[in-house]
Amino acid sequence: MTQPMKYEQAIVIGGGITGMLAAKVLSTFYHQVFIIEKDELPDSPENRLGTPQAFHPHRMLPLGKQIFERLFPGYTKELLAMGGFNTLHQTSRFITKDGELALTDTEETAVTRRAMLEWVLMQRMLSEERVHFLEKHEAISLQFEEGTNQVIGLIVKDRHVKPGIIHQMKADLVIDTSGRMSKLPKWLKDAGLSLPQTDELSVSLGYSTRYYQISPKAPNLQSMVVVGQPNKQIPTGLFERVDHDLVAVLLSAAGGSHYPTTDADQFDSETAALTHPAIAEAITHLTPYTKPKGFRVPSCVRHHYEQMQDWPSGLLVMGDALCTLDPIHGQGMTKAALEAQTLERMLKQAQENGRLSFERNTLKQMQHANELGWWLCAIADMAWEGVELKGGKPIPHLTFVQEYLNRYVQYAVQTKQAERLEAYHRMHSFLTEPREILNLEQLHDMIQSDSSGETAEWWRQWDKENNELNRAFFHEAVPEFHLHNLLHTN
């Protein structure tokens, strides 16, 4: 549908981080923005019932921080003033079975609990004149204009009084940011629409987190990652400073054969069984602050709504309701920020050029924002036995890509090239194309630096013995994600 867009009222379903990002962008274009939130808004920075994962560490990647700071200037400074841990000039340890590297953070970033992240955003949004929170409200169904495929609003239930009061809300645009439990697939089916096949990464992920308090007498403790060994079912361990006096220790494993313990007596012993004893040694200087708490992710799902020729006008979807990434990789908030930036860019284009299939084009661009994260999650998680990719296209040369990246990290660690490891982290932060790491020239460097000859021997099974054919093989194995198109704001 190409009728002119109206900018009177927009509705966002869900008042989490993605919802507030969406509302912030919409408030520049729409006269009124309503956030429908089923939980009661907290009076202080505390976890909500609707965010069961909020207990666990949440990581803001550099790109996400850049977008948050542009939309919410001073966001990082405010978090630091409230007790967030400042990573500027802090050194962290990256530990593998092959050794370790130290990396020094060159950016000011606040590491804190999700409740604090949400609280600061919420206070900003409550002060926005055009934005209105409707707490204790539940989205019941979409409202369509009779006889058309145009969404014109939402049926909502006000839950302040039992059993609730149901009423209609009109809107020129509805955006679903309600997360992995989104009702959107059911609503679309109820409207008589057929849904495309979803991609599903059956990950059977489990992780467990325990917080420890830092005493004044504790030595200076660096954040660290102890990389797991999927082939031996050894979990990954994370030791991260959170706020000025707390440390979060997180154990994670995929595949479902073993979920990290939530038993307080066993947690420390499982930590000691990691690939390296560094985390176990560090917590001997700390005092347990909480009991361990677990979280399970059966699968990650990627919807392909952009493929629907009859996608309703007046409707969009963002965040985990569109595509869920494995949360252990810490990319979710940055993905949401990229989607918000995409929404902003597409709304600007719609104002300049008219509707021009605004909704479907926006969904296509948001799917582009999800491509790299989905590819990276699938590659990392499928190293664990029991993880399976269902639906969609298989990943070309999966085993080669997995083994190459393992050898690349081994090469960076053993040769003490911190800049190589930083490039690896930049790729996982959506700032570097995978082809800048996975290429024939980089492989030759790895082979030359390996005096044992193991890398050269490994490469023989893939070698076409012709540079042109080998480059073609790399291009087939490693997609081009066109990050330069994704990252610009205009």
Side-chain angles (χ1 to χ4, degrees):
M1 187 175 292
T2 57
Q3 66 188 47
M5 291 180 65
K6 298 177 182 178
Y7 298 94
E8 293 299 321
Q9 186 162 301
I11 296 176
V12 176
I13 305 172
I17 289 174
T18 304
M20 288 188 281
L21 284 167
K24 175 62 177 177
V25 169
L26 292 171
S27 67
T28 304
F29 299 87
Y30 288 81
H31 293 299
Q32 290 192 96
V33 180
F34 288 91
I35 300 176
I36 308 299
E37 173 51 53
K38 64 182 181 181
D39 287 340
E40 186 174 4
L41 298 185
D43 296 325
S44 61
E46 59 186 43
N47 297 334
R48 298 182 291 110
L49 290 175
T51 55
Q53 76 281 19
F55 178 84
H56 305 275
H58 282 63
R59 191 179 309 162
M60 183 73 75
L61 301 177
L63 175 60
K65 182 208 157 189
Q66 292 173 21
I67 299 173
F68 270 74
E69 279 292 337
R70 186 175 63 80
L71 294 175
F72 301 94
Y75 177 65
T76 301
K77 293 287 189 187
E78 193 168 346
L79 288 170
L80 291 174
M82 296 178 69
F85 178 70
N86 192 343
T87 63
L88 181 63
H89 304 316
Q90 295 293 325
T91 299
S92 59
R93 300 169 66 186
F94 184 85
I95 305 171
T96 74
K97 63 181 178 59
D98 301 303
E100 72 173 270
L101 259 182
L103 298 176
T104 301
D105 205 317
T106 58
E107 289 193 23
E108 186 174 68
T109 302
V111 182
T112 185
R113 295 164 291 125
R114 178 185 172 123
M116 195 77 79
L117 299 171
E118 281 199 357
W119 174 259
V120 171
L121 289 183
M122 192 177 298
Q123 299 314 298
R124 296 284 189 100
M125 298 312 298
L126 288 170
S127 67
E128 289 275 349
E129 185 177 347
R130 294 185 175 188
V131 178
H132 313 280
F133 263 99
L134 296 183
E135 61 179 335
K136 298 186 73 172
H137 278 65
E138 180 181 359
I140 301 299
S141 65
L142 298 171
Q143 186 178 10
F144 287 84
E145 185 174 4
E146 188 172 353
T148 73
N149 205 28
Q150 169 81 34
V151 170
I152 57 172
L154 203 61
I155 308 298
V156 301
K157 178 190 285 188
D158 183 345
R159 298 165 58 192
H160 281 89
V161 180
K162 293 184 179 181
I165 302 171
I166 294 177
H167 60 96
Q168 300 177 358
M169 292 185 66
K170 297 294 185 183
D172 301 306
L173 181 65
V174 174
I175 302 184
D176 179 14
T177 70
S178 59
R180 62 177 65 239
M181 302 305 291
S182 167
K183 301 175 185 175
L184 188 57
K186 179 182 184 302
W187 292 345
L188 294 173
K189 289 178 182 177
D190 289 347
L193 301 175
S194 298
L195 305 186
Q197 184 179 25
T198 59
D199 298 338
E200 180 182 355
L201 186 64
S202 179
V203 69
S204 300
L205 171 73
Y207 53 96
S208 182
T209 301
R210 189 176 197 183
Y211 286 89
Y212 295 81
Q213 193 154 34
I214 304 171
S215 70
K217 296 181 180 179
N220 181 38
L221 298 171
Q222 299 171 326
S223 294
M224 67 186 96
V225 174
V226 176
V227 180
Q229 298 183 62
N231 60 323
K232 296 183 179 180
Q233 300 297 311
I234 298 176
T236 290
L238 171 69
F239 180 96
E240 186 165 59
R241 294 286 297 267
V242 180
D243 298 339
H244 68 281
D245 63 345
L246 289 180
V247 165
V249 176
L250 180 148
L251 308 178
S252 67
S257 66
H258 169 72
Y259 291 119
T261 185
T262 57
D263 181 86
D265 294 330
Q266 295 181 18
F267 189 84
D268 287 0
S269 61
E270 287 201 8
T271 302
L274 296 174
T275 299
H276 191 278
I279 295 179
E281 291 170 358
I283 61 178
T284 62
H285 301 285
L286 306 175
T287 304
Y289 185 72
T290 69
K291 294 180 179 179
K293 190 171 183 179
F295 191 69
R296 306 284 183 263
V297 179
S299 61
C300 301
V301 176
R302 183 185 183 195
H303 296 280
H304 285 284
Y305 295 127
E306 80 285 354
Q307 296 177 2
M308 294 176 61
Q309 299 292 334
D310 53 357
W311 176 262
S313 55
L315 177 66
L316 285 174
V317 54
M318 292 172 57
D320 284 353
L322 176 61
C323 173
T324 56
L325 300 180
D326 179 344
I328 210 64
H329 302 302
Q331 298 162 327
M333 290 191 293
T334 298
K335 180 183 82 75
L338 273 173
E339 291 173 349
Q341 183 165 278
T342 300
L343 173 65
E344 181 182 39
R345 184 174 73 246
M346 299 304 290
L347 282 168
K348 287 179 179 177
Q349 290 182 13
Q351 279 191 335
E352 295 169 0
N353 306 322
R355 179 184 285 275
L356 297 177
S357 302
F358 162 74
E359 291 84 356
R360 280 197 68 210
N361 286 340
T362 301
L363 286 174
K364 288 177 182 178
Q365 291 299 311
M366 287 187 180
Q367 199 65 265
H368 179 203
N370 294 329
E371 288 280 357
L372 178 53
W374 182 263
W375 187 77
L376 290 169
C377 282
I379 287 167
D381 292 348
M382 291 176 73
W384 294 86
E385 185 178 354
V387 177
E388 182 182 2
L389 184 61
K390 303 175 182 177
K393 298 178 181 178
I395 295 177
H397 306 297
L398 171 65
T399 301
F400 166 76
V401 174
Q402 289 173 325
E403 293 180 359
Y404 180 103
L405 288 174
N406 287 340
R407 289 182 177 274
Y408 177 87
V409 171
Q410 180 185 41
Y411 158 73
V413 169
Q414 290 183 336
T415 59
K416 301 299 181 184
Q417 296 189 69
E419 68 276 8
R420 302 293 189 190
L421 188 57
E422 287 168 356
Y424 177 81
H425 287 322
R426 284 178 60 82
M427 177 184 70
H428 282 272
S429 302
F430 312 149
L431 289 169
T432 292
E433 287 280 354
R435 285 183 179 180
E436 294 185 27
I437 290 174
L438 291 104
N439 59 67
L440 192 59
E441 289 69 29
Q442 179 62 68
L443 174 63
H444 287 159
D445 286 347
M446 291 157 58
I447 290 174
Q448 290 174 5
S449 71
D450 182 5
S451 58
S452 71
E454 289 182 4
T455 304
E457 180 64 30
W458 166 80
W459 169 239
R460 286 196 182 97
Q461 63 186 307
W462 314 102
D463 189 3
K464 311 299 181 186
E465 299 184 351
N466 176 292
N467 279 348
E468 186 176 345
L469 292 177
N470 281 334
R471 286 194 176 89
F473 171 74
F474 269 93
H475 276 243
E476 186 178 287
V478 187
E480 173 67 60
F481 292 95
H482 304 286
L483 294 182
H484 59 283
N485 293 334
L486 180 64
L487 300 181
H488 71 78
T489 58
N490 296 319

